Amino acid sequence: MHFMIREFQNFIDKNQLFDRKQKILLTVSGGIDSISMLHLFHKVGIDIGVAHCNFMLRGEESDEDEIFVRNMAAMLAVPFYVIRFNTWEYARQEGISIEMAARDLRYKWFEEIRVQYKYDYIATAHNLNDVVETFFLNIVRGTGIKGLTGIKPKSNHLIRPMLFASRRQIEAYCLEHDLHFREDSSNASVKFSRNKIRHLILPVLEKINPNFLQTAVENIQRLSETEQIYFSKVGEVKKQVCFEKEGSFYIDLNKMKEIEPQSSYLYEFLVPFNFSRDNVAEIIEAMDGIPGKQFFSSTHRLLKDRNYLIITGIKKQADLKYYIDEGMTLINGPVKLKLRVIKKEEGFKLPLNSQIACLDYDRITFPLILRHWQKGDYFRPLGMKDIKKLSDYFIDNKLSLIEKEQAWLLTSENKIVWIVGRRLDDRYKITDRTQNILVIEPCQD
């Protein structure tokens, strides 16, 4: 058995990449790495399909790549899937680099094909050189420890079965088996960061240490093991300092100020919400400041409250409205409530629970509307004769900005009937003249 085939099978088994009876979708560009991967899968006899992306970045060259891969799939009698992307336009619309645009587009499409045609895994042709190049690329861009631990052989439905082989081994395998492949002219251009590392930096390091590639891979493996210890400790501290409540993520400020190294812990707590190292430095500076300061990532907002850092997703919630028609008995969202109308009878007692609203049914007008707070909203708090601005009510009750924005209001003819779960409006309370009662209470799952 050829060395590459044996090592390929050993790598699959050692890392438990997949079961030999499962279907694998191969991502094949037509370059030397993906063609070698296709040949190895075919030799071993795995059930495969071939997916190819034409990013339309190199004119005729891109089209010729597509034709080449299509012909390879036909020769091997395996299913072939292809798509064309206007990558330049997508990158312009999203404000990202061409490299990032191509990555986003292809992985989204690969997953769609995997699900639609019932493949178990998606295989990419990353090799050992890619591991080392990515390591240096992350150092240049800035990263946490996760970015220094290399490319993983398996993550969810994505597998990388060529990580056992160096580019030189792959070149030798192709030469020995007379495998034809396409040369991407952009791979020679040093205008791309990865290519600068590949063509300008790594050759210098290999002159210093001819076995540098293997040395670097061993070091990355040690860092990967260190990462496991590191995140185990981060997880322990996270349980003590952080918690989730009503869709928001809270970090206890007093506890956060006691832990060291503060910036590393805070970075790991916040990186799932797409905050950067620069954000973390600014947030630490603001931790002793006045409440109310906000920070934004591409997907989340962080509010510095009195006692907590509160992280929520960025959502345009102000215009959301949910209608409740007469006769409805159950609301499944945004808050789960059940409704019932009862006759007021002698001996009726109001529940001492702000989570339950008892309203004078004959004073309200359907449809009722559930919505969020709007500027200028006011109501008459239960037990009071004067109206009160909702913004003042929120301040008096020490609600954070996020809690204020997440509060739901039940309205009738645009008048506030109930701040859900908090306070009724006095105008809709049960009185001696009430005949029918609308009871609204939380719906237990």
Side-chain angles (χ1 to χ4, degrees), residues 145 149 152 221-234:
I145 191 170
T149 57
K152 302 296 188 288
Q221 178 59 37
R222 294 188 191 101
L223 282 170
S224 182
E225 293 168 0
T226 303
E227 178 198 25
Q228 295 176 36
I229 301 169
Y230 173 81
F231 279 111
S232 176
K233 181 61 178 178
V234 169

Side-chain angles (χ1 to χ4, degrees), residues 110-157:
F110 292 151
E111 178 61 13
E112 289 171 358
I113 295 298
R114 186 193 71 79
V115 172
Q116 183 177 352
Y117 294 98
K118 295 180 171 57
Y119 286 90
D120 295 288
Y121 292 100
I122 300 162
T124 66
H126 292 92
N127 60 46
L128 281 179
N129 289 67
D130 292 315
V131 172
V132 178
E133 290 165 9
T134 300
F135 173 85
F136 280 99
L137 199 59
N138 286 339
I139 286 179
V140 171
R141 290 172 175 169
T143 184
I145 191 170
K146 189 179 287 292
L148 303 178
T149 57
I151 303 171
K152 302 296 188 288
K154 185 175 186 178
S155 52
N156 298 320
H157 293 288

Side-chain angles (χ1 to χ4, degrees), residues 377-432:
D377 272 340
Y378 66 90
F379 80 131
R380 185 185 296 167
L382 183 64
M384 296 179 64
K385 292 183 179 180
D386 297 326
I387 64 171
K388 190 180 188 72
K389 285 185 179 180
L390 218 60
S391 56
D392 291 338
Y393 170 81
F394 289 142
I395 291 170
D396 291 346
N397 286 272
K398 295 182 170 54
L399 269 70
S400 70
L401 177 62
I402 290 172
E403 287 174 319
K404 180 177 75 172
E405 291 180 352
Q406 290 180 341
W408 286 98
L409 310 178
L410 183 69
T411 66
S412 172
E413 296 183 311
N414 207 33
K415 295 187 181 83
I416 295 170
V417 174
W418 181 34
I419 304 174
V420 177
R422 294 186 182 275
R423 191 79 173 261
L424 285 175
D425 187 293
D426 196 75
R427 292 167 291 184
Y428 301 91
K429 69 182 179 182
I430 306 302
T431 69
D432 292 339

Side-chain angles (χ1 to χ4, degrees), residues 8-160:
F8 175 69
Q9 292 179 313
N10 288 342
F11 187 78
I12 291 169
D13 294 339
K14 179 183 177 182
N15 293 280
Q16 299 179 331
L17 296 189
F18 59 88
D19 186 285
R20 300 297 174 89
K21 294 179 181 178
Q22 290 179 309
K23 286 176 62 178
I24 312 299
L25 180 67
L26 307 186
T27 62
V28 181
S29 65
I32 187 170
D33 299 330
S34 62
I35 290 299
S36 299
M37 179 176 72
L38 174 59
H39 189 264
L40 286 166
F41 267 94
H42 182 67
K43 280 284 188 185
V44 174
I46 307 296
D47 188 0
I48 59 173
V50 169
H52 176 80
C53 299
N54 185 337
F55 295 106
M56 297 195 295
L57 294 172
R58 294 175 288 113
E60 289 185 7
E61 193 176 334
S62 292
D63 295 336
E64 288 168 0
D65 289 349
E66 178 185 326
I67 293 168
F68 174 76
V69 177
R70 183 189 298 274
N71 290 339
M72 285 290 294
M75 184 177 69
L76 297 175
V78 297
F80 177 70
Y81 313 94
V82 66
I83 193 169
R84 293 187 169 201
F85 293 119
N86 188 339
T87 314
W88 281 108
E89 179 61 21
Y90 179 82
R92 186 189 66 79
Q93 289 177 352
E94 297 297 318
I96 57 178
S97 69
I98 289 293
E99 293 169 284
M100 288 301 299
R103 176 184 171 81
D104 290 352
L105 290 167
R106 67 178 177 265
Y107 280 111
K108 183 176 183 293
W109 180 67
F110 292 151
E111 178 61 13
E112 289 171 358
I113 295 298
R114 186 193 71 79
V115 172
Q116 183 177 352
Y117 294 98
K118 295 180 171 57
Y119 286 90
D120 295 288
Y121 292 100
I122 300 162
T124 66
H126 292 92
N127 60 46
L128 281 179
N129 289 67
D130 292 315
V131 172
V132 178
E133 290 165 9
T134 300
F135 173 85
F136 280 99
L137 199 59
N138 286 339
I139 286 179
V140 171
R141 290 172 175 169
T143 184
I145 191 170
K146 189 179 287 292
L148 303 178
T149 57
I151 303 171
K152 302 296 188 288
K154 185 175 186 178
S155 52
N156 298 320
H157 293 288
L158 194 64
I159 58 173
R160 303 174 180 92

